[in-house]
Amino acid sequence: MKISIIGTGYVGLVTGTCLADLGNNVICLDINEQIIEDLTKGKIPFYEPGLEDLIKTNLDRGNISFTSSYEDAISFAETIFICVGTPEDDQGSADLSFIQDAVIKISDYLKDKDRHLTIFLKSTVPSGTCSSLQDKFDELLENSQSKVVVASNPEFLKEGSAVADFMKPDRIIVGTDDINVSELAKRLYRPVNWKSNRLKIVSIEAAELIKYSANAFLATKISFINEIAKLCDAVGADISEVRKGVGLDPRIGNHFLYSGLGFGGSCFPKDVKALIKTFTKNNIDTKILKAVLDVNDNQIDYFINKIHSVYTPKELKQKTLCVWGLSFKPETDDIRESLSLKLINSISGEVKHINAYDPVAMTRAKDSLSNIDNITFSRDSTEALQGADALVITTEWREFWNPDLESLEVLKDKIIFDGRNILDKKLLEENKFSYFGIGR
Ligand code: UDX
């Protein structure tokens, strides 16, 4: 099938590349010409395991190409996926302007043609967006032979495992009431759906809401366990034991119950806010989601207070902190809403120095933290420990899980603040380290 993808961010690039790998012919469009030039050479603008190799393979096979020309992309396509970003606007709602631009560009091309196109909208959008886009296309193409049908097809790709999530989906949601579109979706997704049927055809409004509800529910689990972790600190229980005991109930499950610094990234904070806005627009008060955000917004302060409980302001001013982890989670160089960066921004003025290290997010973090003058970016995790008084772990990269005790001995105060609960507390305490986790 000939497919065009509008937008080469995480969602568009992963979707386009995976569809190409499954035998389709794919053109990916982005208005950023530099990104397109790099992609044509097989260079991707972010770190996502497995993606660059898959792009190179499909470039070699001739299954994928990149363009900045709407004409090239639309003249080629039998089907279009819109995958542009919907960032948070000033009011906390989803900013739909990139989608609206795409609608205008597509209509402009189609208006003097006779083409029938299906558009799957993958961008995360509030309920009602797909039908208003359909109205917009109908209006713009009123005097044209061309016709566009808009369907909702939300993405459920986790950064760091996005290729695997596309190829082995836990569900594929398509919102449409058009039988031809559902047949098209079945054909498109057949290679990843033939083992067991995970494709659900639902109404457009339900599809839009499934996406927001899923992210909001996962965010709720995280804020819930972070609140329980505080209680663990207060009563002397270990959150790891509580989490495992609670998660054994199959009605609850053991996923997304890891306490830490709170949720970050490009999706959860933005999507929970946008869902709250949708509630408000519909005159419904959402107490739960407001509390989820509130707990999350305060979680980093809760952690920083642990540092304050150990050091007086005067002592802290003499201390060098080693910070391991800068990306918002492991296996990505994405620093959007990174709790690590929030922590550094918040505490850098109170400490003497910060030694920071991340396996892949250093370049992005350096740009973002260029306002801070008492930070050094180290070449590796061991170098970052040199000269430090205490270690602060902010992202649970695999290489941080089992550090060599000897290398930790260089910490002058032998203190570790573990914001992701990944280290062996018992072992560290046996070796005379002071350990502070979240809820343990
Ligand atoms: C999320 C959704 O999981 C995915 O389905 C959706 O399509 C896009 O948004 P992503 O933002 O890549 O994916 O990251 P995810 O793995 O969901 O983690 C989000 C945040 O929650 C991270 O900051 C992570 O550290 C935090 N988290 C996750 C916890 O604090 N505890 C947990 O138990 C799980």
Side-chain angles (χ1 to χ4, degrees):
M1 206 175 292
K2 289 179 177 162
I3 298 165
S4 286
I5 308 280
I6 314 285
T8 60
Y10 281 95
V11 176
L13 207 49
V14 172
T15 303
T17 308
C18 291
L19 286 171
D21 201 55
L22 294 170
N24 299 288
N25 284 311
V26 177
I27 291 187
C28 296
L29 174 141
D30 204 289
I31 49 173
N32 184 325
E33 291 180 7
Q34 183 59 52
I35 289 180
I36 292 302
E37 200 186 314
D38 289 346
L39 285 169
T40 306
K41 295 177 197 146
K43 192 170 156 240
I44 67 173
F46 49 80
Y47 176 82
E48 180 61 40
L51 185 58
E52 199 161 87
D53 285 348
L54 214 54
I55 290 181
K56 285 183 181 145
T57 306
N58 285 286
L59 275 171
D60 290 346
R61 283 166 60 192
N63 278 16
I64 194 164
S65 61
F66 301 95
T67 184
S68 286
S69 152
Y70 264 91
E71 188 172 344
D72 287 355
I74 301 160
S75 59
F76 165 86
E78 295 167 64
T79 302
I80 294 177
F81 284 82
I82 295 184
C83 306
V84 296
T86 51
E88 187 184 326
D89 71 11
D90 300 344
Q91 319 295 314
S93 301
D95 176 352
L96 304 179
S97 54
F98 293 118
I99 298 181
Q100 284 151 356
D101 288 349
V103 169
I104 289 169
K105 294 268 174 38
I106 295 168
S107 307
D108 274 353
Y109 174 80
L110 289 176
K111 63 177 182 250
D112 54 0
K113 312 274 183 316
D114 181 3
R115 297 274 309 277
H116 284 215
L117 276 179
T118 300
I119 295 188
F120 291 100
L121 185 61
K122 277 215 170 282
S123 312
T124 301
V125 292
S127 290
T129 306
C130 279
S131 54
S132 66
L133 294 185
Q134 182 68 65
D135 292 347
K136 191 75 192 163
F137 273 118
D138 292 347
E139 181 197 320
L140 293 169
L141 297 174
E142 199 184 355
N143 302 315
S144 164
Q145 300 296 312
S146 293
K147 170 102 184 109
V148 164
V149 179
V150 181
S152 169
N153 178 210
E155 56 83 19
F156 299 97
L157 307 172
K158 298 183 290 299
E159 290 180 26
S161 60
V163 172
D165 287 348
F166 189 96
M167 294 301 197
K168 289 186 185 158
D170 46 23
R171 75 275 210 211
I172 304 159
I173 302 291
V174 173
T176 183
D177 54 10
D178 184 319
I179 184 75
N180 294 322
V181 175
S182 28
E183 288 306 312
L184 174 64
K186 282 181 200 162
R187 269 200 291 142
L188 265 170
Y189 283 109
R190 195 187 57 84
V192 295
N193 193 44
W194 66 275
K195 253 188 187 168
S196 63
N197 186 11
R198 290 168 184 272
L199 174 65
K200 287 266 169 258
I201 307 285
V202 297
S203 73
I204 288 182
E205 291 72 19
E208 291 168 333
L209 209 47
I210 286 169
K211 167 69 195 201
Y212 274 112
S213 310
N215 274 1
F217 187 75
L218 293 170
T220 305
K221 281 185 100 172
I222 298 169
S223 278
F224 175 81
I225 203 71
N226 279 335
E227 205 159 71
I228 297 293
K230 289 183 196 167
L231 198 53
C232 286
D233 277 337
V235 301
D238 183 334
I239 189 65
S240 306
E241 291 182 352
V242 175
R243 169 177 60 76
K244 286 174 197 158
V246 170
L248 281 171
D249 182 334
R251 293 169 301 176
I252 297 172
N254 56 11
H255 297 291
F256 271 70
L257 282 180
Y258 297 93
S259 55
L261 301 179
F263 53 80
S266 65
C267 291
F268 285 1
K270 158 179 94 70
D271 291 351
V272 175
K273 277 185 213 158
L275 189 55
I276 291 173
K277 280 281 167 192
T278 308
F279 270 97
T280 310
K281 276 183 195 151
N282 286 282
N283 299 317
I284 305 167
D285 187 20
T286 162
K287 295 184 172 58
I288 293 176
L289 295 182
K290 284 182 195 158
V292 167
L293 271 191
D294 191 38
V295 170
N296 199 55
D297 288 344
N298 288 306
Q299 191 67 6
I300 196 73
D301 293 333
Y302 181 72
F303 184 62
I304 289 174
N305 278 341
K306 288 185 182 253
I307 302 177
H308 289 156
S309 71
V310 173
Y311 296 124
T312 65
K314 203 170 156 204
E315 285 167 344
L316 200 52
K317 207 63 203 156
Q318 303 307 316
K319 300 294 173 186
T320 292
L321 299 182
C322 165
V323 176
W324 278 359
L326 298 165
S327 56
F328 87 94
K329 70 171 197 180
E331 298 301 330
T332 179
D333 61 351
D334 196 343
I335 52 163
R336 285 175 287 178
E337 299 281 328
S338 156
L339 277 314
S340 171
L341 266 52
K342 278 194 185 150
L343 174 128
I344 291 172
N345 274 309
S346 166
I347 210 164
S348 59
E350 301 176 36
V351 300
K352 183 175 163 207
H353 202 78
I354 291 173
N355 296 344
Y357 168 70
D358 186 282
V360 302
M362 299 281 264
T363 311
R364 287 180 183 222
K366 270 184 199 170
D367 287 348
S368 166
L369 296 170
S370 58
N371 55 317
I372 293 174
D373 49 20
N374 60 340
I375 188 165
T376 305
F377 294 92
S378 307
R379 275 171 301 184
D380 56 46
S381 56
T382 315
E383 186 184 271
L385 292 168
Q386 307 308 312
D389 297 279
L391 168 64
V392 183
I393 300 180
T394 44
T395 316
E396 68 277 29
W397 282 96
R398 271 199 301 272
E399 65 177 76
F400 302 153
W401 281 71
N402 232 352
D404 179 22
L405 276 185
E406 262 178 45
S407 64
L408 293 180
E409 290 287 345
V410 300
L411 291 171
K412 291 178 200 153
D413 294 339
K414 292 191 76 171
I415 296 178
I416 296 174
F417 301 97
D418 182 357
R420 298 292 175 180
N421 288 345
I422 58 173
L423 297 191
D424 185 339
K425 175 181 177 178
K426 191 163 162 273
L427 179 73
L428 288 165
E429 288 181 342
E430 280 166 6
N431 285 278
K432 309 277 178 277
F433 284 89
S434 301
Y435 176 91
F436 298 85
I438 299 215
R440 63 199 283 257

